[in-house]
Amino acid sequence: MSWSNFTVTRLRNALIRPLLLVVTCSAALMSATTMAEEKPSFEQYLQQVKQQAVAQGIAAHTVDQAFANVEFKKRSVKLDRNQPEKRQTLDTYLPKRVPQWKIDKARKLYKENYQLLSKIGDEFGVQPRFIVALWGNETNFGTYTGNFDIISALATLAYDGRREAFFRKELIAALSILDEGHIDLPKFQGSWAGAMGQTQFMPSSFLAYAVDYDGDGRKDIWGTQEDVFASIANYLKQAGWNNDLTWGRQVKLPEGFDVSLTGLKTKKSLAEWQALGVRRYDMSNLPTRDIQASIVLPDDAQGRAYLAYGNYDVLMDWNRSYYFVTSVGYLSDRIAYPSVFKAQ
């Protein structure tokens, strides 16, 4: 290349590169602007939801009233994005989740409501102690059900977009609950994520499992004890509860146990687990009943081990947390065996 050609090339590149940079930056800016323009405002999003709700058969006046005072709840977004990350073990979790005062309260309320609990338990095929244990672990026996406006919380989380499809579906379900007249709008409150009442059902679970046990035309999981207990029992029944079984038991694993056999997907008979060296917590033999069960390690191989029966899977359907399920089972055992209880 001649000196003159080299000079021309350098001059051309010096002119073109800034132009390319400008074009690239402009394109990126236009793309970002387009994306910003594509996301509607919160108010525009609510209009879309309102149209969808009416199209799905919810009365227009119900929709208008429900959205009249809706607010974007920044706290719901913050809580959704900042779930607890602190590492716990069952040894630290259970004493905080199920302290002695809660056990005492559970036993007291179990006795006070025994007649109603027994009736519902017989009708739905669910041991009453599990109804009380879920009630206690979800809302401290109905004393704290949340003070977030349900429509605002769900609308906020749907609009935020992290789980838009899920929360939009729950928002439409919440509007259906209002439309059916189960709760008055001023009382329609719950958790930051939209869980409601003494059972902490999400709206879709309410529509699927809530029960009007007292026959007053409302499925009142907020304030009617009969409906609360029956709704919990109905959920468990529909999820496959077996009234002939408990939830599980803490066990001891032999040294060198193959941890690849753990987890709810692996089912073996009690006789098979016995042959593999699994024993009750006090090192006695496992029951001789013909039951399929799994070995669950909520922490790790050095932590607690549980023999999980079919009802354990049902409780996982309620809340997919080994810790939550263990706390419910633990409290139910403390209700059933107040005086002769072997540590979990």
Side-chain angles (χ1 to χ4, degrees), residues 9-24:
T9 300
R10 289 189 62 185
L11 287 172
R12 183 183 62 192
N13 289 342
L15 290 171
I16 290 176
R17 283 172 182 165
L19 288 174
L20 288 173
L21 181 61
V22 170
V23 171
T24 302

Side-chain angles (χ1 to χ4, degrees), residues 101-164:
W101 66 261
K102 182 176 282 189
I103 295 168
D104 295 339
K105 188 172 183 179
R107 292 171 181 165
K108 179 175 181 291
L109 291 171
Y110 179 83
K111 291 177 182 178
E112 290 177 358
N113 295 280
Y114 185 74
Q115 185 174 356
L116 174 62
L117 285 165
S118 295
K119 183 173 181 243
I120 290 173
D122 289 342
E123 289 183 28
F124 288 91
V126 176
Q127 302 96 311
R129 63 188 175 104
F130 288 98
I131 299 174
V132 174
L134 280 165
W135 183 38
N137 274 294
E138 283 291 6
T139 59
N140 189 21
F141 313 100
T143 60
Y144 185 74
T145 58
N147 55 11
F148 280 78
D149 173 71
I150 290 294
I151 300 300
S152 290
L154 291 172
T156 295
L157 292 172
Y159 176 74
D160 180 59
R162 192 173 77 84
R163 289 185 288 167
E164 196 269 346

Side-chain angles (χ1 to χ4, degrees), residues 37-108:
E37 290 175 351
E38 287 177 354
K39 183 175 176 65
S41 67
F42 184 55
E43 291 71 22
Q44 291 171 331
Y45 184 81
L46 295 184
Q47 287 300 319
Q48 295 175 7
V49 176
K50 289 168 72 174
Q51 292 171 7
Q52 178 186 348
V54 172
Q56 291 184 204
I58 300 172
H61 67 85
T62 298
V63 175
D64 289 338
Q65 289 175 0
F67 284 100
N69 297 305
V70 167
E71 298 177 343
F72 185 84
K73 297 292 186 182
K74 292 182 180 179
R75 182 158 172 74
S76 286
V77 175
K78 181 179 179 180
L79 290 169
D80 184 52
R81 293 180 179 176
N82 293 283
Q83 297 296 311
E85 296 180 356
K86 184 178 179 181
R87 175 64 177 164
Q88 295 191 94
T89 66
L90 276 176
D91 289 335
T92 59
Y93 175 84
L94 280 178
K96 290 187 289 186
R97 184 76 179 188
V98 192
Q100 187 60 46
W101 66 261
K102 182 176 282 189
I103 295 168
D104 295 339
K105 188 172 183 179
R107 292 171 181 165
K108 179 175 181 291

